């Protein structure tokens, strides 16, 4: 179980990745929780602009010039003018865990009025196992005051390693443009005090706003795709990563949790702009989701890299008929893995036979 | 959406089924919520005993003599000295919806201190669709203040008919005997304000304590098996029904929800007695669960009855090696369907091709 005393948990094992185009004043509110940790700031847009980071934070900042310099020709796989660029931070990190958060997300309060330490909850989620093979009706059985209920097979109670912790949002819900347009005033006020494992073979819409993961376990699958400048689509970066990540976790026997912690999402993005970015995705997801629902990876794919390379082949094969964009995306997926292996050479040959599903 | 005004919802379309061996004083607390509805009381144990029902309730009561008289030789499929006998109430009902509750369950309070109308919440769950094909991270999208999040395929937003609503318990959690023994003082104090669809192909431990279902849609699958007197096992009646029901719902394209409403579970049953009843189930479920996880029903099974008959064949074929009890259970499953069709003749030939999964 996660340590809850005053020493920051995983202080030396976790990087906080923040994609941004503006001054990071939002960090002031997070200071009590984030200051002990190292930040990786990925500056999107004009690299000549100076991003101000409040004093006292330990950070490294990469702009587009840095990304081009470090990755060379492989920089083509990192999106520009889209928060998808955040995955460069995952690539460059050397830590075991990543927490990523958007710069319009603030500290939320629980129903008792207490400020929520989102990072601490993510760490608890990540450090306790997941239960993807059978649903526990009292939710995460590893939380204090909970357990497995009657009828839960004992052989499954050890759980599996947790790869991803997906947190939620109070105030502005993460709606698509059509729903934003139809329900402009809807706010999420429901605090659901639950963490649960997304069951095996079930896909979900992963939002990148408030997300943690075990980089050692699943890092190479957390590629946020080609979005934004020069691409026909935006706002599907995290969805893409979520679908790819989930089928690979299912294959390798890792777990994905969703639920707590909440952050306070302060500002709805412009629904008209969003519609322009999203509309192709809204069509395409009708074919992308069935693709991911039926994809199967061969048994010899026993590392995340091997799984991801196989997935890129399948994307090229099965989704290129949807749009030629998917050929470009499949290429970028391979470039991403090459970049990952170049920047993380020791992991290249790591096999995880223990967790491979039978 | 469910009606929330003062007229009791589905008053003429819902029966409340209560299995009991004692006077039903617990109904006093439920009076404001249950009094408008019809009760079916299934008296377990000694039929010569008189069960007292508080004044003012509209009810019919069946004891073992009634069950034997009504079902004749088919009464063998109804368990004795086990709450599994409740399914006789499902058989004899003529209503579209069933709510079943244990007589040690009281009205719970929500975090604001308001008494929870469990039945009303079940009805809301049942009258709104389910979303078994893709997980919505803000839980039930049909609840007020919620919707489908970004990345949820629009083609799946209509949902599917909800067959079952599984409610939870505050205070005494529904633990198995080993967990009761290890954690005798654990109480469930966490009010999770969520309803969610158990995804397709995911099994869960269905508890019969606080449960509602659409009898027209799934009734014949809600057989609680052979438990109690003369049987080698107890306390797996609801689990058995849950596994059978879930694979049939998955096959026919119906949804199953879990979460709200909570009831207050007042009293832990004796863990030593429970262990005696459960211990074979604890072994057996290690093989039963994989059986249900891999079972597939043929396409021509397009009614619940046909699915259930097919399932009984598979139980005989695949589980008889676990214990000869499963041969007896498979026979009882067939007897149950015969009894169902006898008491519900008009439904026998009802086909549901619209919902059959492809």
């Amino acid at each position: 179980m996660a340590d809850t005393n005053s020493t920051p948990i995983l202080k030396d094992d976790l990087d906080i990745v923040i994609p941004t185009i503006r001054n990071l004043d939002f960090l002031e509110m997070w200071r009590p929780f984030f200051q002990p940790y190292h930040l990786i700031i990925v500056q999107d847009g004009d690299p000549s602009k100076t991003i101000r980071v409040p004093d006292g934070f330990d950070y490294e900042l990469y702009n587009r010039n840095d990304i081009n310099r470090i990755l060379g020709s492989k920089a083509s796989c990192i999106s520009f003018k889209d928060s998808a660029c955040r995955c460069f931070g995952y690539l460059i990190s050397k830590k075991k865990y990543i927490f990523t958060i958007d710069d319009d997300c603030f500290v939320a309060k629980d129903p008792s009025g207490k400020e929520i330490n989102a990072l601490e909850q993510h760490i608890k989620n990540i450090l306790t196992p997941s239960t993807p093979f059978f649903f526990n009706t009292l939710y995460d059985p590893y939380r204090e005051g909970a357990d497995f209920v009657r009828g839960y097979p004992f052989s499954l109670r050890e759980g599996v390693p947790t790869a991803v912790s997906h947190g939620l949002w109070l105030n502005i819900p993460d709606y698509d443009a059509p729903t934003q347009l139809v329900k402009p005033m809807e706010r999420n006020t429901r605090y659901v005090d639950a963490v649960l494992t997304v069951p095996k073979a079930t896909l979900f819409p992963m939002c990148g706003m408030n997300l943690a993961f075990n980089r050692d376990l699943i890092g190479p699958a957390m590629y946020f795709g080609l979005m934004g400048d020069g691409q026909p689509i935006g706002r599907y970066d995290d969805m893409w990563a979520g679908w790819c990540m989930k089928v690979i976790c299912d294959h390798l026997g890792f777990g994905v949790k969703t639920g707590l912690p909440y952050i306070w999402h302060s500002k709805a993005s412009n629904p008209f702009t969003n519609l322009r970015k999203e509309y192709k995705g809204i069509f395409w997801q009708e074919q992308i989701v069935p693709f991911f629902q039926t994809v199967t990876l061969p048994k010899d794919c026993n590392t995340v890299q091997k799984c991801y390379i196989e997935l890129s082949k399948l994307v090229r094969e099965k989704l290129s008929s949807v749009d030629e964009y998917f050929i470009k995306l499949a290429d970028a997926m391979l470039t991403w893995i090459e970049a990952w292996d170049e920047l993380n050479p020791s992991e290249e040959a790591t096999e995880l036979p223990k967790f491979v599903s039978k």
Side-chain angles (χ1 to χ4, degrees), chain A residues 29-90:
Chain A
M29 199 181 184
W30 288 104
R31 190 181 289 277
F33 306 125
F34 291 177
Q35 191 158 322
Y37 294 88
H38 181 68
L39 312 182
I40 298 179
I41 298 161
V42 184
Q43 177 179 346
D44 198 15
D46 181 2
S48 70
K49 197 181 154 185
T50 302
I51 298 278
R52 198 170 54 80
V53 181
D55 289 344
F57 284 94
D58 168 39
Y59 70 94
E60 51 195 306
L61 185 149
Y62 299 92
N63 65 27
R64 191 69 207 184
N65 295 337
D66 301 315
I67 294 171
N68 290 339
R69 179 176 44 78
I70 292 166
L71 292 183
S73 64
K74 297 190 187 77
S76 61
C77 74
I78 303 298
S79 299
F80 186 51
K81 294 194 180 170
D82 191 285
S83 74
C85 68
R86 77 174 82 216
C87 66
F88 178 76
Y90 314 157

Side-chain angles (χ1 to χ4, degrees), chain A residues 327-345:
Chain A
I327 298 171
K328 209 162 52 163
L329 180 55
D331 286 338
M333 291 168 74
L334 293 178
T335 306
W336 161 263
I337 293 295
E338 286 167 20
W340 187 279
D341 287 342
E342 193 178 300
L343 268 71
N344 301 276

Side-chain angles (χ1 to χ4, degrees), chain A residues 104 124 149 240 273 280 341 348:
Chain A
D104 63 346
K124 284 181 183 173
V149 301
W240 184 259
T273 310
K280 292 198 177 189
D341 287 342
E348 195 172 354

